[in-house]
Amino acid sequence: MAKSTNPTGYIFYEGKSPVDGAPIVGVAIVHSDNVKTGDVVQTYILRSDMHPSEAITTGEDRSICGDCKHRRNPKTGRRTCYVTHFGIGSVYRGLVRGIYPRISPAKLRKIIAGRMVRLGAYGDPAMIRARVWRSLLALSSGHTGYSHQWRSDFAQDIAGLCMASVDNHDEFTSARSTGWRTFRIRLETETLAPGEFACPASDEAGKRMQCIDCGACDGAGSNNRRASPAIIVHGTQSQHFTGV
Ligand code: SF4
């Protein structure tokens, strides 16, 4: 039997960063073996003109990560983002090798119809306009997305689709008051706030569900009073996380 030649991913967006005007690209990788999310379509937002490691080291990742506090600190060299260079580098190498065809969101949505989509497996989804995402998601079974840009004017159109990534109660309250739902990272000693629940993929909730089946992190939709998930800090972030 002949091997399938279906592409592993597609370029569905090329444009400029709303932060600094640098060239950025949106790539959808069709399948994933991520244990937390399950086999969802993973989308990456990258600088199209430099390797992600170079962007991280030089601070040029601001174009795709904005003011996220988990970017590399130039003074200490410390970076607390949970996304490793390795996975992003592999997508970028595919981009340079030309293995991802260009396709409109309207065409790609037919290829990924019925699938769950993660907005911004790397890179902040707010770097791409909500109308592009809505076109891509029109036939999906659901989606998840997280933005650290919830205070920025340019990001407000994404509040209906993405969760505000927050690290403490004050940010939780502030984001909710401006129309966002939240995904909060918390310390083990911090309690859930009213209106929060433990992410079912977390250790503390018994890892009883993956995102592909849960789908709670789909933004405010038309009602930002829906409950918001929280998770106890874990993995590479945990040793440096202070909740500020
Ligand atoms: S709350 Fe649900 S969708 Fe959100 S991260 Fe946890 S498992 Fe995934």
Coordinates of all heavy atoms in Angstrom, one line a residue, residues 36-37 116 143-144 146 163 183 197-202 209-212 214-218 229-231, ligand 1:
K36 N -1.1 15.9 27.6 CA -2.1 16.8 28.3 C -3.3 17.1 27.4 O -4.4 17.0 27.8 CB -1.5 18.0 28.8 CG -2.5 19.0 29.5 CD -1.8 20.1 30.3 CE -2.8 21.0 30.9 NZ -3.2 22.1 30.0
T37 N -3.0 17.4 26.1 CA -4.0 17.9 25.2 C -4.7 16.7 24.5 O -5.9 16.8 24.2 CB -3.5 18.9 24.1 OG1 -2.5 18.2 23.3 CG2 -2.8 20.1 24.8
M116 N -10.4 19.0 17.3 CA -10.1 20.0 18.3 C -8.8 20.8 17.9 O -7.9 20.1 17.4 CB -9.9 19.3 19.7 CG -9.6 20.2 20.8 SD -11.1 21.1 21.3 CE -11.3 20.5 22.9
H143 N -12.0 24.2 20.6 CA -10.7 24.7 20.6 C -10.3 25.1 22.0 O -11.1 25.2 22.9 CB -10.6 25.9 19.7 CG -11.3 27.1 20.3 ND1 -12.7 27.4 20.1 CD2 -10.9 28.2 21.0 CE1 -13.0 28.5 20.7 NE2 -11.9 29.0 21.3
T144 N -9.0 25.3 22.2 CA -8.4 25.9 23.4 C -7.4 27.0 23.0 O -6.8 26.9 22.0 CB -7.7 24.9 24.3 OG1 -6.6 24.3 23.6 CG2 -8.7 23.7 24.8
Y146 N -4.9 30.4 25.0 CA -4.5 31.2 26.2 C -3.7 32.4 25.7 O -2.8 32.3 24.8 CB -3.5 30.3 27.0 CG -4.1 29.0 27.3 CD1 -3.9 27.9 26.4 CD2 -5.0 28.7 28.4 CE1 -4.5 26.7 26.6 CE2 -5.6 27.5 28.6 CZ -5.3 26.5 27.7 OH -5.9 25.3 27.8
M163 N -8.5 32.2 26.7 CA -8.5 32.4 28.2 C -7.3 33.5 28.4 O -6.3 33.4 27.8 CB -8.1 31.2 29.0 CG -8.9 29.9 28.5 SD -10.7 30.1 28.8 CE -10.8 29.7 30.5
F183 N -7.3 31.4 32.9 CA -6.6 30.1 33.2 C -5.5 30.5 34.2 O -4.5 31.2 33.8 CB -6.0 29.4 32.0 CG -5.5 28.0 32.3 CD1 -6.3 26.9 32.3 CD2 -4.1 27.9 32.7 CE1 -5.8 25.7 32.6 CE2 -3.6 26.6 33.0 CZ -4.5 25.5 33.0
F197 N -12.3 26.2 39.0 CA -12.2 24.8 39.3 C -10.9 24.2 38.9 O -10.1 24.9 38.1 CB -13.3 24.1 38.5 CG -13.2 24.1 37.0 CD1 -12.6 23.2 36.2 CD2 -13.7 25.2 36.3 CE1 -12.4 23.3 34.9 CE2 -13.6 25.3 34.9 CZ -13.0 24.3 34.2
A198 N -10.5 23.1 39.4 CA -9.2 22.5 39.1 C -9.2 21.9 37.7 O -10.1 21.1 37.4 CB -8.8 21.4 40.1
C199 N -8.2 22.3 36.9 CA -8.1 21.7 35.5 C -8.1 20.2 35.6 O -7.3 19.6 36.4 CB -6.8 22.2 34.9 SG -6.3 21.2 33.5
P200 N -9.0 19.5 34.9 CA -9.1 18.0 35.1 C -7.9 17.3 34.5 O -7.7 16.1 34.8 CB -10.4 17.7 34.3 CG -10.7 18.8 33.4 CD -10.1 20.0 34.1
A201 N -7.0 18.0 33.8 CA -5.8 17.3 33.3 C -4.7 17.5 34.3 O -3.6 16.9 34.1 CB -5.4 17.9 32.0
S202 N -4.9 18.1 35.4 CA -3.9 18.4 36.4 C -3.6 17.2 37.3 O -4.5 16.3 37.5 CB -4.2 19.6 37.3 OG -5.4 19.3 38.1
M209 N -8.8 13.8 32.7 CA -9.3 14.2 31.3 C -8.2 14.9 30.6 O -7.4 15.5 31.2 CB -10.5 15.1 31.5 CG -11.5 15.1 30.4 SD -12.9 16.3 30.7 CE -14.0 15.2 31.5
Q210 N -8.3 14.8 29.2 CA -7.4 15.6 28.4 C -8.2 16.8 27.8 O -9.4 16.7 27.7 CB -6.8 14.7 27.3 CG -5.9 13.6 27.7 CD -5.5 12.8 26.5 OE1 -6.3 12.2 25.8 NE2 -4.2 12.7 26.3
C211 N -7.4 17.8 27.3 CA -8.1 18.9 26.7 C -9.1 18.5 25.6 O -10.1 19.1 25.4 CB -7.1 19.9 26.2 SG -5.9 20.5 27.4
I212 N -8.7 17.5 24.8 CA -9.5 17.1 23.7 C -10.9 16.7 24.1 O -11.9 16.9 23.3 CB -8.8 16.0 22.9 CG1 -9.4 15.7 21.6 CG2 -8.7 14.7 23.7 CD1 -8.6 14.8 20.6
C214 N -12.2 17.7 27.3 CA -12.7 18.8 28.3 C -13.1 20.0 27.5 O -14.3 20.4 27.6 CB -11.6 19.1 29.3 SG -11.9 20.6 30.3
G215 N -12.2 20.7 26.8 CA -12.5 21.8 26.0 C -13.0 23.1 26.8 O -13.6 24.0 26.2
A216 N -12.7 23.1 28.1 CA -13.2 24.3 28.9 C -12.5 25.6 28.5 O -13.0 26.6 28.8 CB -13.1 24.0 30.3
C217 N -11.3 25.5 28.0 CA -10.5 26.7 27.8 C -10.7 27.3 26.4 O -9.8 27.4 25.6 CB -9.0 26.3 28.0 SG -8.6 25.9 29.7
D218 N -12.0 27.6 26.1 CA -12.4 28.1 24.8 C -12.8 29.6 24.9 O -13.5 30.1 24.0 CB -13.5 27.3 24.2 CG -14.7 27.2 25.1 OD1 -14.7 27.8 26.2 OD2 -15.8 26.7 24.6
P229 N -10.8 27.5 34.8 CA -9.9 26.5 35.4 C -8.6 27.2 36.0 O -8.2 28.3 35.7 CB -9.5 25.6 34.2 CG -9.8 26.5 33.0 CD -10.7 27.5 33.4
A230 N -8.0 26.4 36.9 CA -6.7 26.8 37.5 C -5.9 25.5 37.7 O -6.5 24.4 37.8 CB -6.9 27.5 38.9
I231 N -4.6 25.7 37.8 CA -3.7 24.5 37.9 C -2.6 24.9 38.8 O -2.1 26.0 38.8 CB -3.2 24.1 36.5 CG1 -2.6 22.7 36.5 CG2 -2.2 25.1 35.9 CD1 -2.4 22.1 35.1
Ligands
SF4_1 S1 -9.4 23.0 31.9 FE1 -9.8 21.4 30.3 S2 -9.3 22.4 28.3 FE2 -8.4 23.7 30.0 S3 -6.2 23.0 30.2 FE3 -7.5 21.8 31.7 S4 -8.1 19.9 30.5 FE4 -7.4 21.4 29.0

